[in-house]
Amino acid sequence: YIKYGSFIPLSESDVLEHLKKTSSSDLSSRLVKTTYRHIYTRGFMVTYNKHNLRLEDLSTLEDQNWLNDQIINMYGELIMDVAEQKVHFFNSFFYKQLVAKGYDGVKRWTKKVDLFSKWLLLIPIHLEIHWSLIAITMATKTISYYDSQGIVFRHTTNNIMKYLQSEAREKKQAAFQKGWKIAIIKGIPQQKNDSDCGVFVLEYCRRLSVKQPLLFSQNNMPQIRKRIYKELCDRRLND
């Protein structure tokens, strides 16, 4: 609990390490791993709204693993709840679907959502093996691009601008059919490895959604990973 903020073990290596320290008998690694899979992982699930997380999903928060879509999407749901529905977090598969099938392929995704009543839209972008973020401030019609490696994929912001214009036409929002601005955000926290981009994106989202400054660094990643893990298990963001 002290290490992770939860009584649920994060990985089978933690179980192995603990048993080696506490067991007087010579337990084989194969036996422990089999026991771990059957006892700890069988049936365990964190469920929130339509999202389900298993231990293998949570294990992506361990060490320097890459976060998966399930972690990204459920955390986005928690962010929306804290923001009292003034923030909309797009599913991580949204952008891929938009690129593959165009506006008609995604217009049903916001059938029950009025994007133009929100003050902030958050769109995680996953290209190949890298996560970045597009944040849209509706009041100023600004599309902002955040990347923890300083990479700029300008086609992503252009695609999102076209999407917003199409959505405005579909929802008959004349004020949002033009006047959009694109901003590449610089001077933000940057990762120092090749594995923490997803964690940086979630921390950008969390702080932007509650209007907190982006004051964190690569050195904070271990603590942030553990905090996200606990928040997902508790199904709420901590203060």
Side-chain angles (χ1 to χ4, degrees):
Y1 187 89
I2 292 172
K3 187 174 182 180
Y4 295 119
S6 171
F7 287 113
I8 302 164
L10 193 62
S11 69
E12 76 179 31
S13 62
D14 295 317
V15 178
L16 279 166
E17 181 182 350
H18 175 73
L19 291 179
K20 286 177 181 177
K21 291 179 179 178
T22 59
S23 177
S24 58
S25 60
D26 183 19
L27 295 172
S28 72
S29 175
R30 181 179 178 183
L31 173 61
V32 172
K33 288 182 179 180
T34 302
T35 304
Y36 171 83
R37 282 193 291 270
H38 280 80
I39 295 178
Y40 287 105
T41 65
R42 184 177 57 189
F44 171 77
M45 184 180 294
V46 177
T47 301
Y48 187 72
N49 292 345
K50 296 180 180 180
H51 301 279
N52 298 314
L53 294 181
R54 299 186 181 277
L55 273 184
E56 52 262 38
D57 299 314
L58 288 167
S59 70
T60 65
L61 285 161
E62 181 187 4
D63 298 328
Q64 294 187 12
N65 290 333
W66 295 345
L67 302 194
N68 67 10
D69 292 278
Q70 287 74 20
I71 295 292
I72 298 287
N73 290 328
M74 183 165 158
Y75 201 74
E77 197 80 22
L78 300 182
I79 287 172
M80 285 194 288
D81 284 352
V82 167
E84 298 179 343
Q85 304 306 315
K86 290 298 183 183
V87 173
H88 184 71
F89 186 96
F90 283 79
N91 186 285
S92 64
F93 297 106
F94 168 81
Y95 184 74
K96 292 179 183 177
Q97 184 79 351
L98 174 65
V99 172
K101 297 190 176 181
Y103 177 72
D104 287 341
V106 296
K107 68 179 181 180
R108 293 184 68 256
W109 290 43
T110 54
K111 184 178 180 180
K112 298 181 180 180
V113 179
D114 179 10
L115 296 182
F116 306 102
S117 68
K118 311 294 183 181
W119 76 269
L120 182 68
L121 309 181
L122 298 169
I123 307 177
I125 305 292
H126 193 214
L127 299 176
E128 300 298 334
I129 57 172
H130 183 63
W131 289 99
S132 56
L133 173 69
I134 289 178
I136 300 142
T137 307
M138 300 302 283
T140 60
K141 292 191 280 191
T142 303
I143 302 167
S144 301
Y145 188 83
Y146 295 79
D147 190 279
S148 58
Q149 289 186 329
I151 303 170
V152 179
F153 296 103
R154 292 191 179 275
H155 64 281
T156 59
T157 52
N158 291 334
N159 288 337
I160 293 301
M161 182 169 63
K162 292 175 183 177
Y163 163 77
L164 291 167
Q165 291 169 333
S166 296
E167 180 78 353
R169 287 193 293 271
E170 180 73 15
K171 299 291 178 65
K172 296 180 172 56
Q173 295 281 345
F176 291 95
Q177 292 179 24
K178 58 183 179 180
W180 290 97
K181 301 181 291 289
I182 293 174
I184 308 300
I185 306 302
K186 299 180 180 179
I188 57 176
Q190 298 285 284
Q191 67 188 95
K192 305 298 183 183
N193 59 25
D194 294 324
S195 55
D196 281 326
C197 53
V199 186
F200 272 80
V201 163
L202 291 185
E203 193 65 7
Y204 293 154
C205 288
R206 188 185 202 275
R207 290 173 178 264
L208 290 171
S209 69
V210 293
K211 300 182 180 180
Q212 289 182 347
L214 302 182
L215 298 178
F216 65 96
S217 71
Q218 179 68 55
N219 293 336
N220 301 123
M221 285 299 104
Q223 293 85 359
I224 291 173
R225 281 176 176 266
K226 291 172 186 177
R227 192 204 69 222
I228 292 173
Y229 173 83
K230 186 177 189 303
E231 288 173 329
L232 288 169
C233 288
D234 290 344
R235 293 176 291 189
R236 62 180 178 84
L237 299 188
N238 298 327
D239 295 333

